[in-house]
Amino acid sequence: MQSWRWKSLWLALLASWLLVLLGVFPLLRLAVPTRPRAGVPQGWPHWLDAELLQSFAKPGELLEDGPQPPQALRGGSCNWGACFDTSKCRGGGLKVFVYPAAGPVSETHRRILASIEGSRYHTLSAAEACLLLLLSPDTPTGECDPVPPQWDGGRNHLVLSLHPAPCPRTFQLGQAMVAGASPTVDTFRPGFDVALPLLPEAHPLRGGVPGQLRQHSPRPGVALLALAEDRGRWHVAGTDFSACPWDGRCEQDRGPKQTHPGATLPNATFCLIPGRSPDALHFLQALQAGCIPVLLSPRWQLPFSEVIDWTKAAIVADERLPLQVLTALQEMPLTRVLALRQQTQFLWDAYFSSVEKVIHTTLEIIQDRIFGASAHPSLLWNSPPGAILALPTFSPSPSDFPFYHLQQGSRPLGRFSALIWGGAPGQPPLKLIQAVAGSQHCAQILVLWSSEKPPPTRWPKTAVPLTVIDGHRKVSDRFFPYSAISTDAILSLDAHSSLSTSEVDFAFVVWQSFPERMVGFLTWSHFWDEARGGWGYTAKRTNEFSMVLTSAAFYHRYYHTLFTHSLPKALRTLADEAPTCVDVLMNFLVASVTKLPPIKVPYGMWHQEARPPPLEPGGPGLTQEPQPAAHNCINQMAAGFGHMPLVSSRLRLDPVLFKDPVSVLRKKYRSLEKP
C-alpha cells in the first residue's frame, strides 16, 4: 500500500514537470529570430508566438518589421545581372574602349585617357570591347557629347566623371553604369554604380604624393581634432578641446585656421567631416594627412565602398550626439588609433594618390564582378599592396602571392627554378649549371635561349630536369611568365654568371624569409645628381645600395606576371630598346610594390666571370661609371612611374660564423670563404 502511494507521488511529480517543460520551451523559443537569408534585409526578430506577448508599441510603429514587398533599387531598376552582359568578357577578360571626344578635351580628360591607354584594359576596337567608356566632359558650358553609335540603351557602358557636377545630359542613362564623384546615397545603385572620390583639379596623373604621416602615435601637444570647413579649409583644436566643435554653439576659440592650397593638410589625430556632399574633398585630404576621418552622418557614398572596408580607416558618427562622439574619440586606445592611421596611409597610396590609381581601381572593381567567385577576396583589397597589384588572373588565393605569407603564417615551398638567360654565342655554361643543379633546393633548370643562332645540341647531364625555352630575341623575355616555371622562387641568372652551390643555398634560405623582396649578390645604388638635375646610379661599392642585378638574384615568380601584364607598354619597350634599363625596371617594379629595399647576400670576389654591369655594353668591371644614356634610362623610368620608388639600404645578411676564426668544419656554408 505504501509502495503504491510512492508510485502515485512519483507519477504526479513527473506529470507536473512535464507540464512545466511543455509550457517553458515555447516561451524560450519566442525570442529566437528566424534564420537570416543571404541578400534579405533583417529587421527586428519575428516572434514565433506573438499572441503570448503584450505589444507596447502604438499601431503603425512596427510596420517595417512585417513582410515588405520587394522594392526597386535606388536610382533605377538596374543591377549587375540584369543590365550587364558578361558574355562579352569571357574571352579576354575586361577590355575597355573609350569613345573619342567630340569637342575640346580638358586636362582632366587627357589624364583619364592616358591612364587607360597605358593599362592592360585598353583596346582600340569597340567590337572586341567588354566595356564601353563614356567620359563626361568638364567644359565650362556644360554641354554633353551626343549619344554614341553603340549606345544600345547604355548596356555594357560606363559613364565616368571625376567631378560632382557632370553636364545635364539630354539622353537617358538607361542600363549604363555610372562612376561619379561622391554620389548621394539616394541615387547610388549598390553593386552596379561605382562611387569615386572627389579629386582636386591638380591631382597628379600617376605616382602621386605619398602620405604625410611620419609618426603614427600622437605626439604631446598635437591637436586632437581638426574640423573641416568650406573651400578646403580646416580649424584645428587643442588636446583639451571639450565642447562640441560642429554644432555652432562653441564659444571658445577653435584654434588656428589651416587652408589647403595643395600642400597644407590638417595636423591632427581626428578630422571631423560634416555629411554634406561638398565636404567630400576633405575626406581625401584627411586620408593623405593620416588624420582619421570622422564622418558625421555622411549623406554621400564613400569611395569604392563596394570593396574597401572603411571601418578599418574611418569612423562614422552621429552628428546628433556630439559630446558622446568627442568622449569616445578622447578615450580611444592608442593601439586602435595606430591601426586606423596606418590604414589611411595604405588606402591613400594604393587607390587614391593619383588619377591613374583611381581609374584602375574602378576598372578592377568591374573586373571583379565579371570574375565572380574567382575575384579578389577582401584581404587583397584591404591589405598592402592592394588589389590593383594582386592580379586575379594569376591566382584568387592570397597564399599564392609573395605579400601575404607573413599575415597567414606560411612560407613559400622549399624549391626554386633556375632561369638562365643565354643570348650570346658560345658553349653552354657548364660550370654554372653544375653549381646550381648541386643545390639541395633546386627543382629545375630552364635555359632561355634568345640568340639568333640555334642552341647547342648537347647539354650537361644534371640531377634535375633541364629544359631549353626559345625566346623572342628581346631582353624583357627573361621576365615573361613562362608556364614551364613550376615553383614560386626563381633564380635569375646570366649565362656568364658565376656562383657556387653554397652561395645559391644560402641566398635561397634568405629569400624564404623575405619572399616579397629581391635577394641578390651584385648591387647598384641610385642618387640625385645636382649637376645634371636628375637621377643617376652607380656600381661603385658604397655603404648603401638600392638595386640588385638580375644576373644573379632570387625573386617570386609573380613579378614576371606583373612585369608583363601590369607595367605600361612604353616602359617595357624602353627596356627592350635599351638593355641597360632592364635591371633598373625590375628593381623599380618590386620596390614600388613592396616599398622596401632589396637584400644583399655575400658574393665571393674570386669569381672572375662575374657579369659586367650593363651601364656601358662591354664595360670593364664593377667600377665603370654610368654613361649619360644610363642616367636618361633611370630618369625615364622615374617619369613613367610618377615618382622614385627605389629605397636605399645598408643591410647585408651573412650566415652564422661567417668569417669567424673557428674551424671550417663547424660552418654550414664553407665555400663562401674561399680565398
Side-chain angles (χ1 to χ4, degrees):
M1 188 70 178
Q2 190 174 5
S3 62
W4 170 251
R5 290 178 180 176
W6 280 108
K7 291 181 179 178
S8 301
L9 180 61
W10 279 109
L11 289 174
L13 289 174
L14 290 175
S16 61
W17 278 107
L18 181 62
L19 291 175
V20 170
L21 293 176
L22 291 176
V24 169
F25 281 151
L27 291 177
L28 292 177
R29 290 196 300 268
L30 291 178
V32 178
T34 57
R35 183 180 180 87
R37 292 176 295 174
V40 179
Q42 298 297 313
W44 293 97
H46 294 280
W47 304 104
L48 302 183
D49 195 349
E51 296 179 356
L52 298 179
L53 296 175
Q54 179 182 0
S55 176
F56 296 94
K58 297 180 181 179
E61 285 186 354
L62 299 179
L63 292 180
E64 69 276 10
D65 194 32
Q68 296 292 327
Q71 298 179 358
L73 293 175
R74 290 173 292 180
S77 59
C78 261
N79 56 43
W80 179 255
C83 297
F84 195 91
D85 185 8
T86 58
S87 63
K88 297 182 179 180
C89 315
R90 292 173 182 172
L94 180 64
K95 293 297 181 182
V96 181
F97 172 79
V98 183
Y99 287 109
V105 178
S106 64
E107 182 62 27
T108 302
H109 200 129
R110 290 191 184 93
R111 293 182 179 184
I112 298 175
L113 287 175
S115 63
I116 297 177
E117 290 174 354
S119 70
R120 64 184 184 276
Y121 312 101
H122 185 247
T123 179
L124 296 174
S125 173
E128 67 179 18
C130 166
L131 181 69
L132 304 174
L133 185 63
L134 182 64
L135 298 175
S136 292
D138 302 313
T139 56
T141 58
E143 297 179 357
C144 296
D145 292 339
V147 179
Q150 295 92 357
W151 181 245
D152 189 23
R155 194 171 183 83
N156 283 50
H157 278 71
L158 176 67
V159 180
L160 187 144
S161 176
L162 292 180
H163 300 284
C167 60
R169 297 200 169 274
T170 57
F171 59 90
Q172 297 295 327
L173 292 174
Q175 299 180 355
M177 295 180 290
V178 177
S182 304
T184 61
V185 295
D186 298 328
T187 60
F188 183 76
R189 297 169 290 183
F192 190 68
D193 293 337
V194 180
L196 303 182
L198 179 58
L199 301 179
E201 293 289 342
H203 210 57
L205 169 61
R206 58 174 58 93
V209 180
Q212 299 195 2
L213 182 62
R214 294 295 176 263
Q215 183 169 339
H216 298 296
S217 58
R219 300 191 305 270
V222 173
L224 175 68
L225 301 173
L227 173 62
E229 292 195 333
D230 296 336
R231 299 180 181 179
R233 295 180 299 180
W234 295 88
H235 270 299
V236 178
T239 55
D240 58 348
F241 194 67
S242 59
C244 164
W246 63 85
D247 64 354
R249 296 192 300 246
C250 301
E251 297 180 357
Q252 75 264 37
D253 184 14
R254 296 183 181 178
K257 179 181 294 186
Q258 289 186 355
T259 60
H260 183 69
T264 304
L265 295 174
N267 184 20
T269 304
F270 299 98
C271 285
L272 301 176
I273 304 174
R276 304 181 303 273
S277 293
D279 295 307
L281 183 60
H282 293 95
F283 181 72
L284 212 58
Q285 296 173 4
L287 286 183
Q288 182 182 359
C291 183
I292 302 171
V294 181
L295 307 172
L296 306 175
S297 302
R299 288 176 285 275
W300 78 86
Q301 194 73 20
L302 295 184
F304 306 138
S305 55
E306 181 177 342
V307 294
I308 293 179
D309 184 2
W310 284 111
T311 61
K312 297 180 178 180
I315 299 173
V316 178
D318 192 343
E319 61 183 354
R320 298 169 297 180
L321 305 173
L323 297 180
Q324 291 88 330
V325 172
L326 184 60
T327 301
L329 297 181
Q330 290 174 329
E331 297 178 355
M332 183 175 293
L334 291 181
T335 54
R336 174 65 174 164
V337 173
L338 172 62
L340 290 170
R341 302 189 81 179
Q342 287 178 331
Q343 191 70 1
T344 61
Q345 300 301 274
F346 156 64
L347 294 176
W348 164 261
D349 181 75
Y351 306 120
F352 301 105
S353 60
S354 67
V355 173
E356 183 178 67
K357 291 178 180 178
V358 171
I359 299 300
H360 288 187
T361 304
T362 303
L363 299 179
E364 202 70 32
I365 290 175
I366 297 175
Q367 182 169 256
D368 271 14
R369 298 174 184 173
I370 297 171
F371 286 164
S374 61
H376 295 107
S378 178
L379 175 64
L380 301 187
W381 278 105
N382 295 281
S383 299
I388 297 180
L389 296 173
L391 304 183
T393 52
F394 178 78
S395 174
S397 174
S399 60
D400 292 332
F401 294 90
F403 329 114
Y404 304 106
H405 288 289
L406 182 61
Q407 297 184 25
Q408 297 184 331
S410 62
R411 295 185 66 183
L413 298 178
R415 307 278 278 174
F416 70 85
S417 299
L419 182 61
I420 303 176
W421 184 73
Q427 295 297 322
L430 176 62
K431 189 175 180 180
L432 177 64
I433 292 176
Q434 289 177 342
V436 174
S439 171
Q440 58 180 327
H441 306 291
C442 183
Q444 60 179 161
I445 296 177
L446 305 173
V447 178
L448 179 61
W449 194 257
S450 297
S451 175
E452 296 181 356
K453 296 184 178 181
T457 56
R458 298 182 61 182
W459 292 88
K461 294 182 179 180
T462 59
V464 296
L466 190 149
T467 306
V468 179
I469 302 175
D470 187 20
H472 299 88
R473 315 296 184 264
K474 296 188 299 184
V475 180
S476 59
D477 284 353
R478 66 188 308 161
F479 302 130
F480 186 81
Y482 295 101
S483 59
I485 300 175
S486 60
T487 61
D488 289 337
I490 294 178
L491 173 57
S492 176
L493 296 167
D494 277 356
H496 49 258
S497 298
S498 180
L499 289 174
S500 67
T501 304
S502 293
E503 288 170 334
V504 172
D505 284 341
F506 177 71
F508 177 72
V509 171
V510 171
W511 177 85
Q512 282 186 298
S513 299
F514 305 93
E516 76 280 8
R517 303 204 210 182
M518 296 180 69
V519 176
F521 300 88
L522 298 176
T523 60
W524 293 340
S525 59
H526 76 288
F527 59 91
W528 179 258
D529 192 338
E530 293 287 352
R532 293 186 174 93
W535 294 102
Y537 64 103
T538 180
K540 287 184 177 180
R541 297 181 189 175
T542 60
N543 290 330
E544 294 186 349
F545 64 91
S546 55
M547 294 180 279
V548 295
L549 272 66
T550 58
S551 59
F554 278 99
Y555 52 82
H556 198 282
R557 68 186 178 99
Y558 176 62
Y559 291 120
H560 280 201
T561 301
L562 275 184
F563 188 96
T564 304
H565 300 294
S566 180
L567 282 178
K569 185 178 180 181
L571 294 181
R572 299 198 308 272
T573 303
L574 176 62
D576 290 329
E577 295 176 351
T580 58
C581 295
V582 66
D583 286 287
V584 178
L585 181 56
M586 191 62 173
N587 280 272
F588 265 53
L589 173 63
V590 178
S592 66
V593 172
T594 63
K595 309 296 186 297
L596 295 170
I599 293 178
K600 177 177 172 54
V601 290
Y603 182 69
M605 294 309 300
W606 59 88
H607 295 302
Q608 299 298 323
E609 301 175 5
R611 169 194 177 191
L615 302 176
E616 181 181 7
L622 297 179
T623 59
Q624 180 69 30
E625 279 302 301
Q627 300 300 313
H631 290 279
N632 293 335
C633 167
I634 192 172
N635 283 287
Q636 287 177 311
M637 295 293 176
F641 276 81
H643 67 294
M644 170 51 71
L646 296 178
V647 181
S648 297
S649 174
R650 298 181 180 180
L651 173 69
R652 191 185 82 174
L653 296 183
D654 296 336
V656 178
L657 301 181
F658 182 64
K659 292 187 177 181
D660 282 355
V662 297
S663 173
V664 177
L665 298 178
R666 297 174 58 185
K667 301 182 180 183
K668 184 176 181 179
Y669 305 98
R670 303 172 186 174
S671 63
L672 289 182
E673 302 180 41
K674 286 183 178 180

